Amino acid sequence: MQRWSVVIPVKPVSVGKSRLRGAVPAAAHERLALALARDTVTAVLACPEVDDVLVVTDDPVVAGVVTTLGGRVAPDTPAAGLNPAIRFGESGLSARSWRAALTADLPALRPEELSAALRAATEPPARRRFAADAPGVGTVLLTAPPGVPLDPRFGGPSAAAHAASGAVALGGDWPSLRRDVDTGADLDAAHRLGVGTHTSALVPAPCGPRSTPC
């Protein structure tokens, strides 16, 4: 089994997930942004293929939570942007490990689905690969073998950008991995898959798989 190092960029909760404002009462928005990241990091740390999780953030609250969970933290440069944060984080990962960048808004992520995606990413030939989000427009996961830079292109229609850069799309059916959360509708879809404990504590779960009985 290949061993992985994963970098996860996290914006300060005061400015992160702006399109989610209104999904919960305003006073709880920062708590929701933190819960999404916390449930994501918890799932990644539970993935048996993952040896190292490095969160890049300049938010001290996020940093404290990640450290408590058992991850590492690297300071972000405010307003540097998502891709510079990933490149900076990658510089702190082991050069001998397989490397991945993952978004921090995957509250329904199941460790077994991440494991399956990482195993698929190691199939020969060794090269950069990515997993698109549920709509097929954005990117939730970018991987690279040892010695190959991640070369992230996150933001906007990043699935097409990663494909144009030479990365190969992963085709597995991993709904919890592909379900990132940017809007209230996304949050509802994630809840129907079954979100982690911190997100579910803030948002009532709808009827659906892995949710509470109706």
Side-chain angles (χ1 to χ4, degrees):
M1 182 171 62
Q2 301 291 353
R3 311 310 303 174
W4 285 83
S5 296
V6 179
V7 57
I8 304 174
V10 181
K11 291 181 179 179
V13 295
S14 60
V15 299
K17 311 312 300 180
S18 59
R19 292 167 61 195
L20 263 180
R21 291 193 182 277
V24 295
H29 178 80
E30 292 185 10
R31 292 168 55 207
L32 177 59
L34 179 62
L36 298 178
R38 189 171 187 174
D39 284 334
T40 301
V41 173
T42 297
V44 177
L45 286 167
C47 178
E49 281 79 7
V50 175
D51 278 343
D52 181 32
V53 176
L54 177 64
V55 172
V56 182
T57 186
D58 64 346
D59 188 319
V61 175
V62 174
V65 166
V66 170
T67 301
T68 299
L69 291 173
R72 295 193 295 132
V73 176
D76 193 10
T77 300
L82 186 62
N83 294 311
I86 292 172
R87 288 192 290 269
F88 174 69
E90 183 182 15
S91 69
L93 302 180
S94 169
R96 297 187 298 274
S97 67
W98 286 70
R99 283 156 292 112
L102 194 75
T103 59
D105 56 354
L106 304 173
L109 181 61
R110 302 182 189 182
E112 60 269 26
E113 289 193 6
L114 178 58
S115 291
L118 295 179
R119 289 194 300 270
T122 63
E123 294 177 358
R127 59 191 306 177
R128 290 167 61 242
R129 300 180 189 270
F130 70 94
D133 60 13
V137 177
T139 303
V140 293
L141 173 70
L142 177 66
T143 71
V148 177
L150 282 167
D151 190 16
R153 311 294 177 93
F154 287 86
S158 59
H162 282 125
S165 74
V168 175
L170 292 164
D173 181 21
W174 309 302
S176 76
L177 171 62
R178 297 187 187 275
R179 182 68 277 163
D180 58 346
V181 173
D182 290 315
T183 66
D186 295 339
L187 183 58
D188 182 70
H191 244 312
R192 293 190 181 279
L193 292 170
V195 295
T197 57
H198 299 95
T199 303
S200 64
L202 293 175
V203 186
C207 306
R210 296 179 67 197
S211 66
T212 54
C214 301

